[in-house]
Amino acid sequence: MLAAFAGKCLGRLLLLCLYLSLLGGSPADPAMTMTTQDASSQSQANSLTNMKNGLNESFPEPMATTQIVSWQTQGRPLDPVTLGREVSVPGPNLATKESRQTSNQSVTSVQYELLLPGASDTSVETTISLEKVVEVELTCILDKEYSYLKSFQVTWRRGNETISHTNKTDNSWSIKVSVSDSSKLGSYNCTLKGEKQLSGIFHLQVPKIERKGKPTISYLRDTAVMTCECPGYTAISWTWYMTNGSKQIVINESLLADRYVISKKSASITHLKILKVTKEDGGEYWCEATFELGKSKGRLELKVLSFMVPLKPFIAIVIEVVIFVALIVCYEIYSTKVKHKEAEKEFDQIEHLKSEDGGLESSEARQRRV
Amino acid sequence: MPPPANTRQAPSPPDGGWGWVVVFGAFVSIGFAYAFPKGVAIFFKEIQDFFGTSYSEVAWVSSIMLATTYGAGPISSILVNRYGSRPVVMLGGLLCGIGMVSAAFCTSIMQLYICVGFITGLGLALNLQPSVIMIGKYFLKRRPIANGLAMAGSPVMLCTLAPLNQFLFDSFGWRGSFLILGAILLNCCVAGALFRPIGPGTASVKTQATEEGKGSLKREVTEDAMEMSSPTNLPMKNKTEEEGDRDCCEKINQYLDFSLFKHRGFLIYLIGNVLMFLGFFAPIIFLAPYAKHIGIDEYSAAFLLSILAIVDIVARPTTGIIANSKWVRPRIQYFFSFSIAFNGTCHLLCPLASSYTGLVVYSVFFGLAFGMVCAMLFETLMDLVGAARFTSAVGLVTIAECCTILLGPPIGGTLIDTFGDYKYMFIKCGVVMVLAGTFLFIMNYYNYRMLAKEEKERKAKEEDPKTVKTENEVRNNWIKETTQDGPELEPLREEQEGPKKEVNGIIEV
């Protein structure tokens, strides 16, 4: 059974390698890229995490299983790109990333590659969001097209600290970082110095929280619901803060029973419900997600309005409607009166003419008789 | 009292003057009726979070509103037959306003279903049908243009409502937005106030029907005459003998004309349209998700819908003008079936478009075809059954269409979920619409031939002096029948009498 499973995964691996090689050959095509808002890529990422989790649970004994997820992005230099979420921006440079997740007991190893463009003095950046403890291997690859450039001196740096290579080939240089806590997060820089200066930067960070950019609007004595989510990742716990003056107060059990209800819709979505909102409830709120590797915060704003605020435009529009209807009805009454008067005038004229005609006929008859 | 000479001169519908104001009122009314259920979808995400429900439960609000707007058609028809258009539209506007204002104070999703779904939907239904009916009363010669202009209200309102709703939502939240939208919907009352009843006192005296107008009018007159002489009108002959004692079906037919189900043209229209609506709305709903599915970003996908709406706005009045031209007007049914088939062909070709440019081209053609079909939707029904029975016809047609309109998108959704590919949904819609177009084409060809045959028979009868007496009998019964119609039909009855008298006058001379 194990062999069958490994065989299946290897088969998948081969398929994806094939897919990658085809992608590598063709130039950037918008149809090929996975976009930020693409639900399918999200669900893929989700299924991937599920698979990974499943693997961890069902196969506790050490074994090497590989799953490959690949993205192809068109990235301008200095374009942030996150795991599972790519922003497709047309550009001349191609950055290919491969991530191979290998499960070894309970430690996951992830590989990230960055393709360096050949253009001089350019820097390619990528942002990687990590939610769990992983062992990360970062590789900078020089594009085959530019392999004619020789004599490179490659340095890996994080801040001021230099890290030594773990792996080196003709055109790729890698380092291994064991990210066990938040201190290991940061920006890892690989610099190639030679005829040209190229650099690639890996930003390792905790996942960012998605929340509404615009303020939530609520009314007095109504319920207000605010949502925070980090799609694709599992947060260990969520905490909400409210701002009082300049201090941030945790919304915890003491306040919980009273008016605040914190509910967790799923692992990645949280709601804060405030019952019977008052004017003082308006302001800044923070939702904080705790991951293995650190915390991530998101800012929300709550605006509390009284019902008078929408009532004013409402009354204005109602008055406008009443005025228009009254105008139309008055115009109609006026125009029908005018028409009636004209019709009466016409009628009188016709009667007058008829009586004249009658008089003429009788006079004619008299003349004829005579 | 104006002398009878004036009423004899009271012509066919004005075809202008106050009619254009009525077109504007219908523009507003129809625009709200069609665009509002789509526009309100912007609030769904927030409402879903607020009440803690799933997205499909919130989407029911829109479905209920659409279902009620179409399903309450017969109620609308009955009310218009009884009271005339103006009070019904004003009542509709009031209902919409009340529905949305009460929705602003809802505390559960069930209450939203009732307030936004039923009450507002009912109000919109009372708006939609009378607007279309009024156009038929005010226009004859230029009716296709008037219809095209009025139906253009739907995309214009949609383009206005979408950003307006977004702005209201950002400024006032969903409750405040519903309150203000209720006030905006009250403007339907203003549109209703413009629907001046057209009766003997208010009919315009100046316009004389031209040859063309008389010709088409005569055709409609003969159509009605044919219907009068059909066996279903035998109970009416009984009625002429016993004035006070009315038949049961008589009473019902006064409010809602079920005898339409024996009208050949009406049946053709009904079957063709019911079939068409199975594939009509689904592509619009799934265009943006399909674009995102093949890798286009959200804003470009939304832009596709804007392109569609803009082409739609231009296409509708243009179609009205084309349909009014002397080459197309007599054979307008063919034009309608052609546009349905064209629409279907667009959908069949859509899976071939795999890039953004291809989708843009598809959107342009789809917008064009969609506008063409919508502009002539009610015009062709009016053309088939005549203005007199249009009131009941539109009610019966909308309740029949209601089922397929609601079934279309979910069937499309099921196809997409089963096969994981959007192309089967497009193929299904395309096939259904091409079938509907072909069916309508063939059946209308048959209908036109039958009408021509009946016209020939009628002419042959008139030239035969022995049958003049029976002609008078038929005419008397027909006059008695038309007295049942609502107050707005007076000039139509009189003007129909006019040509009849002329014809008889020629024979007697």
Side-chain angles (χ1 to χ4, degrees), chain A residues 214 217 219 222-223 265 314 320-321 332, chain B residues 50 86 170-172 175-176 179 187 196:
Chain A
K214 300 192 186 130
I217 299 188
Y219 291 92
D222 190 19
T223 317
K265 276 274 161 172
F314 173 77
E320 167 247 327
V321 166
E332 191 171 323
Chain B
F50 188 85
R86 180 188 258 178
D170 291 336
S171 319
F172 299 107
R175 285 194 196 269
L179 189 68
N187 279 304
R196 226 183 255 181

mmCIF file with all atom_site columns, all heavy atoms in Angstrom, chain A residues 214 217 219 222-223 265 314 320-321 332, chain B residues 50 86 170-172 175-176 179 187 196:
data_model
loop_
_atom_site.group_PDB
_atom_site.id
_atom_site.type_symbol
_atom_site.label_atom_id
_atom_site.label_alt_id
_atom_site.label_comp_id
_atom_site.label_asym_id
_atom_site.label_entity_id
_atom_site.label_seq_id
_atom_site.pdbx_PDB_ins_code
_atom_site.Cartn_x
_atom_site.Cartn_y
_atom_site.Cartn_z
_atom_site.occupancy
_atom_site.B_iso_or_equiv
_atom_site.pdbx_formal_charge
_atom_site.auth_seq_id
_atom_site.auth_comp_id
_atom_site.auth_asym_id
_atom_site.auth_atom_id
_atom_site.pdbx_PDB_model_num
ATOM 1   N N   . LYS A 1 214 ? -12.462 49.171 4.051   1.00 0.00 ? 214 LYS A N   1
ATOM 2   C CA  . LYS A 1 214 ? -13.328 50.305 4.391   1.00 0.00 ? 214 LYS A CA  1
ATOM 3   C C   . LYS A 1 214 ? -13.972 50.078 5.754   1.00 0.00 ? 214 LYS A C   1
ATOM 4   O O   . LYS A 1 214 ? -14.140 48.950 6.180   1.00 0.00 ? 214 LYS A O   1
ATOM 5   C CB  . LYS A 1 214 ? -14.413 50.449 3.328   1.00 0.00 ? 214 LYS A CB  1
ATOM 6   C CG  . LYS A 1 214 ? -13.827 50.680 1.977   1.00 0.00 ? 214 LYS A CG  1
ATOM 7   C CD  . LYS A 1 214 ? -14.883 51.111 0.997   1.00 0.00 ? 214 LYS A CD  1
ATOM 8   C CE  . LYS A 1 214 ? -14.276 51.191 -0.385  1.00 0.00 ? 214 LYS A CE  1
ATOM 9   N NZ  . LYS A 1 214 ? -15.053 50.492 -1.390  1.00 0.00 ? 214 LYS A NZ  1
ATOM 10  N N   . ILE A 1 217 ? -19.972 49.879 9.024   1.00 0.00 ? 217 ILE A N   1
ATOM 11  C CA  . ILE A 1 217 ? -20.911 50.883 9.512   1.00 0.00 ? 217 ILE A CA  1
ATOM 12  C C   . ILE A 1 217 ? -22.001 50.188 10.298  1.00 0.00 ? 217 ILE A C   1
ATOM 13  O O   . ILE A 1 217 ? -22.549 49.185 9.851   1.00 0.00 ? 217 ILE A O   1
ATOM 14  C CB  . ILE A 1 217 ? -21.501 51.662 8.337   1.00 0.00 ? 217 ILE A CB  1
ATOM 15  C CG1 . ILE A 1 217 ? -20.362 52.368 7.611   1.00 0.00 ? 217 ILE A CG1 1
ATOM 16  C CG2 . ILE A 1 217 ? -22.532 52.660 8.823   1.00 0.00 ? 217 ILE A CG2 1
ATOM 17  C CD1 . ILE A 1 217 ? -20.777 53.303 6.567   1.00 0.00 ? 217 ILE A CD1 1
ATOM 18  N N   . TYR A 1 219 ? -25.320 50.886 13.391  1.00 0.00 ? 219 TYR A N   1
ATOM 19  C CA  . TYR A 1 219 ? -26.232 51.880 13.948  1.00 0.00 ? 219 TYR A CA  1
ATOM 20  C C   . TYR A 1 219 ? -26.408 51.651 15.432  1.00 0.00 ? 219 TYR A C   1
ATOM 21  O O   . TYR A 1 219 ? -26.226 50.553 15.948  1.00 0.00 ? 219 TYR A O   1
ATOM 22  C CB  . TYR A 1 219 ? -27.579 51.831 13.230  1.00 0.00 ? 219 TYR A CB  1
ATOM 23  C CG  . TYR A 1 219 ? -27.471 52.311 11.811  1.00 0.00 ? 219 TYR A CG  1
ATOM 24  C CD1 . TYR A 1 219 ? -27.236 51.423 10.780  1.00 0.00 ? 219 TYR A CD1 1
ATOM 25  C CD2 . TYR A 1 219 ? -27.554 53.676 11.528  1.00 0.00 ? 219 TYR A CD2 1
ATOM 26  C CE1 . TYR A 1 219 ? -27.098 51.876 9.487   1.00 0.00 ? 219 TYR A CE1 1
ATOM 27  C CE2 . TYR A 1 219 ? -27.421 54.124 10.238  1.00 0.00 ? 219 TYR A CE2 1
ATOM 28  C CZ  . TYR A 1 219 ? -27.191 53.229 9.224   1.00 0.00 ? 219 TYR A CZ  1
ATOM 29  O OH  . TYR A 1 219 ? -27.047 53.683 7.950   1.00 0.00 ? 219 TYR A OH  1
ATOM 30  N N   . ASP A 1 222 ? -27.899 48.589 17.471  1.00 0.00 ? 222 ASP A N   1
ATOM 31  C CA  . ASP A 1 222 ? -27.946 47.492 16.515  1.00 0.00 ? 222 ASP A CA  1
ATOM 32  C C   . ASP A 1 222 ? -26.787 46.550 16.829  1.00 0.00 ? 222 ASP A C   1
ATOM 33  O O   . ASP A 1 222 ? -25.988 46.814 17.716  1.00 0.00 ? 222 ASP A O   1
ATOM 34  C CB  . ASP A 1 222 ? -27.842 48.060 15.097  1.00 0.00 ? 222 ASP A CB  1
ATOM 35  C CG  . ASP A 1 222 ? -28.121 47.014 14.053  1.00 0.00 ? 222 ASP A CG  1
ATOM 36  O OD1 . ASP A 1 222 ? -28.726 45.976 14.391  1.00 0.00 ? 222 ASP A OD1 1
ATOM 37  O OD2 . ASP A 1 222 ? -27.728 47.227 12.894  1.00 0.00 ? 222 ASP A OD2 1
ATOM 38  N N   . THR A 1 223 ? -26.678 45.448 16.095  1.00 0.00 ? 223 THR A N   1
ATOM 39  C CA  . THR A 1 223 ? -25.544 44.535 16.252  1.00 0.00 ? 223 THR A CA  1
ATOM 40  C C   . THR A 1 223 ? -24.511 44.858 15.183  1.00 0.00 ? 223 THR A C   1
ATOM 41  O O   . THR A 1 223 ? -24.863 45.129 14.044  1.00 0.00 ? 223 THR A O   1
ATOM 42  C CB  . THR A 1 223 ? -26.003 43.086 16.068  1.00 0.00 ? 223 THR A CB  1
ATOM 43  O OG1 . THR A 1 223 ? -27.230 42.912 16.756  1.00 0.00 ? 223 THR A OG1 1
ATOM 44  C CG2 . THR A 1 223 ? -24.989 42.122 16.612  1.00 0.00 ? 223 THR A CG2 1
ATOM 45  N N   . LYS A 1 265 ? -15.784 30.904 12.637  1.00 0.00 ? 265 LYS A N   1
ATOM 46  C CA  . LYS A 1 265 ? -16.544 30.199 11.603  1.00 0.00 ? 265 LYS A CA  1
ATOM 47  C C   . LYS A 1 265 ? -15.789 28.989 11.087  1.00 0.00 ? 265 LYS A C   1
ATOM 48  O O   . LYS A 1 265 ? -16.346 27.964 10.798  1.00 0.00 ? 265 LYS A O   1
ATOM 49  C CB  . LYS A 1 265 ? -16.827 31.148 10.433  1.00 0.00 ? 265 LYS A CB  1
ATOM 50  C CG  . LYS A 1 265 ? -18.033 32.009 10.622  1.00 0.00 ? 265 LYS A CG  1
ATOM 51  C CD  . LYS A 1 265 ? -19.271 31.265 10.175  1.00 0.00 ? 265 LYS A CD  1
ATOM 52  C CE  . LYS A 1 265 ? -20.498 31.918 10.784  1.00 0.00 ? 265 LYS A CE  1
ATOM 53  N NZ  . LYS A 1 265 ? -21.727 31.376 10.265  1.00 0.00 ? 265 LYS A NZ  1
ATOM 54  N N   . PHE A 1 314 ? -33.331 60.276 2.981   1.00 0.00 ? 314 PHE A N   1
ATOM 55  C CA  . PHE A 1 314 ? -34.595 59.589 2.764   1.00 0.00 ? 314 PHE A CA  1
ATOM 56  C C   . PHE A 1 314 ? -35.742 60.585 2.682   1.00 0.00 ? 314 PHE A C   1
ATOM 57  O O   . PHE A 1 314 ? -36.544 60.582 1.761   1.00 0.00 ? 314 PHE A O   1
ATOM 58  C CB  . PHE A 1 314 ? -34.819 58.599 3.906   1.00 0.00 ? 314 PHE A CB  1
ATOM 59  C CG  . PHE A 1 314 ? -36.160 57.936 3.887   1.00 0.00 ? 314 PHE A CG  1
ATOM 60  C CD1 . PHE A 1 314 ? -36.426 56.919 3.002   1.00 0.00 ? 314 PHE A CD1 1
ATOM 61  C CD2 . PHE A 1 314 ? -37.162 58.322 4.764   1.00 0.00 ? 314 PHE A CD2 1
ATOM 62  C CE1 . PHE A 1 314 ? -37.652 56.297 2.982   1.00 0.00 ? 314 PHE A CE1 1
ATOM 63  C CE2 . PHE A 1 314 ? -38.396 57.707 4.749   1.00 0.00 ? 314 PHE A CE2 1
ATOM 64  C CZ  . PHE A 1 314 ? -38.645 56.699 3.855   1.00 0.00 ? 314 PHE A CZ  1
ATOM 65  N N   . GLU A 1 320 ? -39.105 65.094 -2.625  1.00 0.00 ? 320 GLU A N   1
ATOM 66  C CA  . GLU A 1 320 ? -38.952 65.307 -4.080  1.00 0.00 ? 320 GLU A CA  1
ATOM 67  C C   . GLU A 1 320 ? -40.017 64.533 -4.843  1.00 0.00 ? 320 GLU A C   1
ATOM 68  O O   . GLU A 1 320 ? -40.636 65.055 -5.781  1.00 0.00 ? 320 GLU A O   1
ATOM 69  C CB  . GLU A 1 320 ? -37.536 64.861 -4.484  1.00 0.00 ? 320 GLU A CB  1
ATOM 70  C CG  . GLU A 1 320 ? -37.318 64.719 -5.970  1.00 0.00 ? 320 GLU A CG  1
ATOM 71  C CD  . GLU A 1 320 ? -37.087 63.261 -6.386  1.00 0.00 ? 320 GLU A CD  1
ATOM 72  O OE1 . GLU A 1 320 ? -36.499 62.504 -5.597  1.00 0.00 ? 320 GLU A OE1 1
ATOM 73  O OE2 . GLU A 1 320 ? -37.507 62.892 -7.492  1.00 0.00 ? 320 GLU A OE2 1
ATOM 74  N N   . VAL A 1 321 ? -40.268 63.278 -4.421  1.00 0.00 ? 321 VAL A N   1
ATOM 75  C CA  . VAL A 1 321 ? -41.281 62.454 -5.096  1.00 0.00 ? 321 VAL A CA  1
ATOM 76  C C   . VAL A 1 321 ? -42.652 63.112 -4.984  1.00 0.00 ? 321 VAL A C   1
ATOM 77  O O   . VAL A 1 321 ? -43.393 63.240 -5.967  1.00 0.00 ? 321 VAL A O   1
ATOM 78  C CB  . VAL A 1 321 ? -41.298 61.034 -4.493  1.00 0.00 ? 321 VAL A CB  1
ATOM 79  C CG1 . VAL A 1 321 ? -42.530 60.286 -4.921  1.00 0.00 ? 321 VAL A CG1 1
ATOM 80  C CG2 . VAL A 1 321 ? -40.057 60.282 -4.897  1.00 0.00 ? 321 VAL A CG2 1
ATOM 81  N N   . GLU A 1 332 ? -51.784 68.228 -15.212 1.00 0.00 ? 332 GLU A N   1
ATOM 82  C CA  . GLU A 1 332 ? -52.809 67.488 -15.941 1.00 0.00 ? 332 GLU A CA  1
ATOM 83  C C   . GLU A 1 332 ? -54.171 68.147 -15.764 1.00 0.00 ? 332 GLU A C   1
ATOM 84  O O   . GLU A 1 332 ? -54.920 68.317 -16.733 1.00 0.00 ? 332 GLU A O   1
ATOM 85  C CB  . GLU A 1 332 ? -52.855 66.061 -15.425 1.00 0.00 ? 332 GLU A CB  1
ATOM 86  C CG  . GLU A 1 332 ? -53.689 65.164 -16.296 1.00 0.00 ? 332 GLU A CG  1
ATOM 87  C CD  . GLU A 1 332 ? -53.527 63.715 -15.883 1.00 0.00 ? 332 GLU A CD  1
ATOM 88  O OE1 . GLU A 1 332 ? -52.399 63.351 -15.506 1.00 0.00 ? 332 GLU A OE1 1
ATOM 89  O OE2 . GLU A 1 332 ? -54.517 62.996 -15.925 1.00 0.00 ? 332 GLU A OE2 1
ATOM 90  N N   . PHE B 2 50  ? -23.555 39.371 8.538   1.00 0.00 ? 50  PHE B N   1
ATOM 91  C CA  . PHE B 2 50  ? -24.348 39.922 9.632   1.00 0.00 ? 50  PHE B CA  1
ATOM 92  C C   . PHE B 2 50  ? -25.244 38.867 10.255  1.00 0.00 ? 50  PHE B C   1
ATOM 93  O O   . PHE B 2 50  ? -25.338 38.742 11.472  1.00 0.00 ? 50  PHE B O   1
ATOM 94  C CB  . PHE B 2 50  ? -25.186 41.079 9.086   1.00 0.00 ? 50  PHE B CB  1
ATOM 95  C CG  . PHE B 2 50  ? -25.897 41.862 10.136  1.00 0.00 ? 50  PHE B CG  1
ATOM 96  C CD1 . PHE B 2 50  ? -25.245 42.886 10.799  1.00 0.00 ? 50  PHE B CD1 1
ATOM 97  C CD2 . PHE B 2 50  ? -27.209 41.593 10.464  1.00 0.00 ? 50  PHE B CD2 1
ATOM 98  C CE1 . PHE B 2 50  ? -25.893 43.630 11.767  1.00 0.00 ? 50  PHE B CE1 1
ATOM 99  C CE2 . PHE B 2 50  ? -27.855 42.327 11.439  1.00 0.00 ? 50  PHE B CE2 1
ATOM 100 C CZ  . PHE B 2 50  ? -27.193 43.345 12.088  1.00 0.00 ? 50  PHE B CZ  1
ATOM 101 N N   . ARG B 2 86  ? -52.579 53.586 -14.269 1.00 0.00 ? 86  ARG B N   1
ATOM 102 C CA  . ARG B 2 86  ? -51.980 54.568 -13.367 1.00 0.00 ? 86  ARG B CA  1
ATOM 103 C C   . ARG B 2 86  ? -52.063 54.188 -11.893 1.00 0.00 ? 86  ARG B C   1
ATOM 104 O O   . ARG B 2 86  ? -51.051 54.204 -11.198 1.00 0.00 ? 86  ARG B O   1
ATOM 105 C CB  . ARG B 2 86  ? -52.610 55.920 -13.615 1.00 0.00 ? 86  ARG B CB  1
ATOM 106 C CG  . ARG B 2 86  ? -52.040 56.998 -12.701 1.00 0.00 ? 86  ARG B CG  1
ATOM 107 C CD  . ARG B 2 86  ? -52.812 58.239 -12.831 1.00 0.00 ? 86  ARG B CD  1
ATOM 108 N NE  . ARG B 2 86  ? -52.111 59.200 -13.665 1.00 0.00 ? 86  ARG B NE  1
ATOM 109 C CZ  . ARG B 2 86  ? -52.594 60.388 -13.984 1.00 0.00 ? 86  ARG B CZ  1
ATOM 110 N NH1 . ARG B 2 86  ? -53.799 60.710 -13.592 1.00 0.00 ? 86  ARG B NH1 1
ATOM 111 N NH2 . ARG B 2 86  ? -51.909 61.212 -14.718 1.00 0.00 ? 86  ARG B NH2 1
ATOM 112 N N   . ASP B 2 170 ? -21.065 52.030 1.207   1.00 0.00 ? 170 ASP B N   1
ATOM 113 C CA  . ASP B 2 170 ? -19.884 52.541 1.902   1.00 0.00 ? 170 ASP B CA  1
ATOM 114 C C   . ASP B 2 170 ? -20.236 53.653 2.864   1.00 0.00 ? 170 ASP B C   1
ATOM 115 O O   . ASP B 2 170 ? -19.563 53.836 3.870   1.00 0.00 ? 170 ASP B O   1
ATOM 116 C CB  . ASP B 2 170 ? -18.854 53.052 0.885   1.00 0.00 ? 170 ASP B CB  1
ATOM 117 C CG  . ASP B 2 170 ? -18.250 51.912 0.096   1.00 0.00 ? 170 ASP B CG  1
ATOM 118 O OD1 . ASP B 2 170 ? -18.261 50.779 0.604   1.00 0.00 ? 170 ASP B OD1 1
ATOM 119 O OD2 . ASP B 2 170 ? -17.775 52.167 -1.025  1.00 0.00 ? 170 ASP B OD2 1
ATOM 120 N N   . SER B 2 171 ? -21.260 54.426 2.524   1.00 0.00 ? 171 SER B N   1
ATOM 121 C CA  . SER B 2 171 ? -21.571 55.567 3.388   1.00 0.00 ? 171 SER B CA  1
ATOM 122 C C   . SER B 2 171 ? -22.522 55.213 4.518   1.00 0.00 ? 171 SER B C   1
ATOM 123 O O   . SER B 2 171 ? -22.441 55.793 5.585   1.00 0.00 ? 171 SER B O   1
ATOM 124 C CB  . SER B 2 171 ? -22.211 56.687 2.577   1.00 0.00 ? 171 SER B CB  1
ATOM 125 O OG  . SER B 2 171 ? -21.581 56.834 1.361   1.00 0.00 ? 171 SER B OG  1
ATOM 126 N N   . PHE B 2 172 ? -23.468 54.303 4.272   1.00 0.00 ? 172 PHE B N   1
ATOM 127 C CA  . PHE B 2 172 ? -24.526 54.113 5.253   1.00 0.00 ? 172 PHE B CA  1
ATOM 128 C C   . PHE B 2 172 ? -24.670 52.681 5.745   1.00 0.00 ? 172 PHE B C   1
ATOM 129 O O   . PHE B 2 172 ? -25.543 52.394 6.542   1.00 0.00 ? 172 PHE B O   1
ATOM 130 C CB  . PHE B 2 172 ? -25.886 54.534 4.672   1.00 0.00 ? 172 PHE B CB  1
ATOM 131 C CG  . PHE B 2 172 ? -25.941 55.976 4.265   1.00 0.00 ? 172 PHE B CG  1
ATOM 132 C CD1 . PHE B 2 172 ? -25.928 56.326 2.929   1.00 0.00 ? 172 PHE B CD1 1
ATOM 133 C CD2 . PHE B 2 172 ? -25.992 56.984 5.211   1.00 0.00 ? 172 PHE B CD2 1
ATOM 134 C CE1 . PHE B 2 172 ? -25.974 57.649 2.548   1.00 0.00 ? 172 PHE B CE1 1
ATOM 135 C CE2 . PHE B 2 172 ? -26.039 58.308 4.837   1.00 0.00 ? 172 PHE B CE2 1
ATOM 136 C CZ  . PHE B 2 172 ? -26.026 58.640 3.506   1.00 0.00 ? 172 PHE B CZ  1
ATOM 137 N N   . ARG B 2 175 ? -28.226 48.709 6.195   1.00 0.00 ? 175 ARG B N   1
ATOM 138 C CA  . ARG B 2 175 ? -29.538 49.161 6.660   1.00 0.00 ? 175 ARG B CA  1
ATOM 139 C C   . ARG B 2 175 ? -29.894 50.534 6.109   1.00 0.00 ? 175 ARG B C   1
ATOM 140 O O   . ARG B 2 175 ? -30.989 50.756 5.605   1.00 0.00 ? 175 ARG B O   1
ATOM 141 C CB  . ARG B 2 175 ? -29.577 49.198 8.184   1.00 0.00 ? 175 ARG B CB  1
ATOM 142 C CG  . ARG B 2 175 ? -29.685 47.831 8.802   1.00 0.00 ? 175 ARG B CG  1
ATOM 143 C CD  . ARG B 2 175 ? -30.066 47.946 10.265  1.00 0.00 ? 175 ARG B CD  1
ATOM 144 N NE  . ARG B 2 175 ? -29.811 46.701 10.972  1.00 0.00 ? 175 ARG B NE  1
ATOM 145 C CZ  . ARG B 2 175 ? -30.727 45.735 11.108  1.00 0.00 ? 175 ARG B CZ  1
ATOM 146 N NH1 . ARG B 2 175 ? -31.906 45.869 10.577  1.00 0.00 ? 175 ARG B NH1 1
ATOM 147 N NH2 . ARG B 2 175 ? -30.433 44.639 11.776  1.00 0.00 ? 175 ARG B NH2 1
ATOM 148 N N   . GLY B 2 176 ? -28.939 51.475 6.212   1.00 0.00 ? 176 GLY B N   1
ATOM 149 C CA  . GLY B 2 176 ? -29.202 52.805 5.690   1.00 0.00 ? 176 GLY B CA  1
ATOM 150 C C   . GLY B 2 176 ? -29.440 52.776 4.191   1.00 0.00 ? 176 GLY B C   1
ATOM 151 O O   . GLY B 2 176 ? -30.286 53.495 3.676   1.00 0.00 ? 176 GLY B O   1
ATOM 152 N N   . LEU B 2 179 ? -32.911 51.767 3.383   1.00 0.00 ? 179 LEU B N   1
ATOM 153 C CA  . LEU B 2 179 ? -33.836 52.858 3.657   1.00 0.00 ? 179 LEU B CA  1
ATOM 154 C C   . LEU B 2 179 ? -33.860 53.837 2.490   1.00 0.00 ? 179 LEU B C   1
ATOM 155 O O   . LEU B 2 179 ? -34.919 54.221 1.984   1.00 0.00 ? 179 LEU B O   1
ATOM 156 C CB  . LEU B 2 179 ? -33.410 53.575 4.941   1.00 0.00 ? 179 LEU B CB  1
ATOM 157 C CG  . LEU B 2 179 ? -34.379 54.598 5.502   1.00 0.00 ? 179 LEU B CG  1
ATOM 158 C CD1 . LEU B 2 179 ? -35.619 53.913 6.020   1.00 0.00 ? 179 LEU B CD1 1
ATOM 159 C CD2 . LEU B 2 179 ? -33.733 55.396 6.623   1.00 0.00 ? 179 LEU B CD2 1
ATOM 160 N N   . ASN B 2 187 ? -39.819 56.695 -6.538  1.00 0.00 ? 187 ASN B N   1
ATOM 161 C CA  . ASN B 2 187 ? -39.877 57.434 -7.799  1.00 0.00 ? 187 ASN B CA  1
ATOM 162 C C   . ASN B 2 187 ? -40.692 56.720 -8.849  1.00 0.00 ? 187 ASN B C   1
ATOM 163 O O   . ASN B 2 187 ? -41.096 57.327 -9.841  1.00 0.00 ? 187 ASN B O   1
ATOM 164 C CB  . ASN B 2 187 ? -38.455 57.671 -8.335  1.00 0.00 ? 187 ASN B CB  1
ATOM 165 C CG  . ASN B 2 187 ? -37.799 58.840 -7.667  1.00 0.00 ? 187 ASN B CG  1
ATOM 166 O OD1 . ASN B 2 187 ? -38.336 59.938 -7.682  1.00 0.00 ? 187 ASN B OD1 1
ATOM 167 N ND2 . ASN B 2 187 ? -36.666 58.625 -7.054  1.00 0.00 ? 187 ASN B ND2 1
ATOM 168 N N   . ARG B 2 196 ? -50.917 58.980 -17.923 1.00 0.00 ? 196 ARG B N   1
ATOM 169 C CA  . ARG B 2 196 ? -52.252 59.537 -18.063 1.00 0.00 ? 196 ARG B CA  1
ATOM 170 C C   . ARG B 2 196 ? -53.149 58.552 -18.769 1.00 0.00 ? 196 ARG B C   1
ATOM 171 O O   . ARG B 2 196 ? -52.791 58.063 -19.835 1.00 0.00 ? 196 ARG B O   1
ATOM 172 C CB  . ARG B 2 196 ? -52.152 60.800 -18.915 1.00 0.00 ? 196 ARG B CB  1
ATOM 173 C CG  . ARG B 2 196 ? -52.893 61.977 -18.374 1.00 0.00 ? 196 ARG B CG  1
ATOM 174 C CD  . ARG B 2 196 ? -52.781 63.120 -19.310 1.00 0.00 ? 196 ARG B CD  1
ATOM 175 N NE  . ARG B 2 196 ? -51.858 64.128 -18.839 1.00 0.00 ? 196 ARG B NE  1
ATOM 176 C CZ  . ARG B 2 196 ? -51.616 65.254 -19.499 1.00 0.00 ? 196 ARG B CZ  1
ATOM 177 N NH1 . ARG B 2 196 ? -52.196 65.467 -20.653 1.00 0.00 ? 196 ARG B NH1 1
ATOM 178 N NH2 . ARG B 2 196 ? -50.782 66.135 -19.024 1.00 0.00 ? 196 ARG B NH2 1
#
